[in-house]
Amino acid sequence: MKVGILSDTHGYLDPKVFEYFAPCDEIWHAGDIGSPDIIVQLQRFKPLVAVSGNIDDRNIRSLVPEEQWLEREGLHIWITHIGGSPPGYNPRVRKNLSERLPHIFVCGHSHILKIMCDRQRNNMLFINPGAAGQQGFHTHRTMVRIELQDGKVVGAEAIELGRRGALT
């Protein structure tokens, strides 16, 4: 199973998302969507798992929850918007991770691309795809593709969409 992961679109969906995510079976959006239209466009393209973020209004929050727990290819995945990063998770995330440890934890919010194993948490894979949108302090717009197979992550790829402010 191939999965495209993005976050922090803030109302802007780069057309290159459709090209890069064409081989994917599913898309995960880790919040700060910014417009219900982005949800609609992504759902028309591929199956979508999305969460709301801190900038998302009540319209978006009525369409997607604050967090999602799912299982794919025998792996447990938790997606939420604000998480921090290893080892400095925020208090809500630390509490949840102490009670229920996923194989993969996906979050956004920081606008900083990071993929790493959290060795303190049984090698849980931490993924923050960075920011795919135009708003924020990031200099480059990024997202991630992963491949899951038989209970393992068999590939991960960081994708750069271009500089923030450069429209495609």
Side-chain angles (χ1 to χ4, degrees):
M1 174 181 206
K2 294 181 180 176
V3 180
I5 306 171
L6 72 165
S7 183
D8 296 280
T9 47
H10 290 263
Y12 173 75
L13 189 60
D14 191 310
K16 288 189 264 183
V17 167
F18 301 104
E19 173 189 337
Y20 285 112
F21 287 175
C24 295
D25 301 297
E26 191 168 76
I27 296 172
W28 301 345
H29 194 306
D32 276 4
I33 298 163
S35 168
D37 186 54
I38 288 177
I39 295 171
V40 171
Q41 288 181 63
L42 291 174
Q43 285 175 329
R44 286 182 182 155
F45 179 59
K46 299 282 180 175
L48 175 68
V49 176
V51 299
S52 59
N54 57 295
I55 67 113
D56 292 321
D57 64 17
R58 109 178 97 204
N59 293 326
I60 292 172
R61 290 177 191 276
S62 72
L63 298 172
V64 296
E66 182 182 349
E67 62 182 17
Q68 297 257 20
W69 286 88
L70 49 143
E71 184 177 340
R72 300 292 186 271
E73 293 288 323
L75 296 166
H76 298 282
I77 298 111
W78 179 29
I79 305 170
T80 193
H81 182 59
I82 300 175
S85 84
Y89 299 106
N90 72 38
R92 180 180 75 88
V93 169
R94 271 197 314 273
K95 180 180 183 303
N96 281 327
L97 291 176
S98 71
E99 296 169 358
R100 185 176 180 191
L101 189 63
H103 297 103
I104 302 170
F105 175 57
V106 179
C107 65
H109 187 64
S110 72
H111 293 222
I112 300 170
L113 172 69
K114 185 182 251 187
I115 303 170
M116 67 177 284
C117 285
D118 185 341
R119 305 227 184 273
Q120 295 178 5
R121 288 180 174 76
N122 200 31
N123 287 324
M124 176 187 75
L125 182 61
F126 172 87
I127 301 174
N128 185 322
Q134 293 287 0
Q135 294 182 0
F137 62 87
H138 57 285
T139 58
H140 289 82
R141 296 175 293 113
T142 59
M143 54 188 195
V144 168
R145 275 190 310 218
I146 61 172
E147 185 171 352
L148 311 175
Q149 184 178 11
D150 299 324
K152 296 180 182 168
V153 178
V154 296
E157 178 182 13
I159 299 166
E160 186 177 318
L161 295 169
R163 293 187 61 80
R164 183 175 54 82
L167 298 177
T168 55

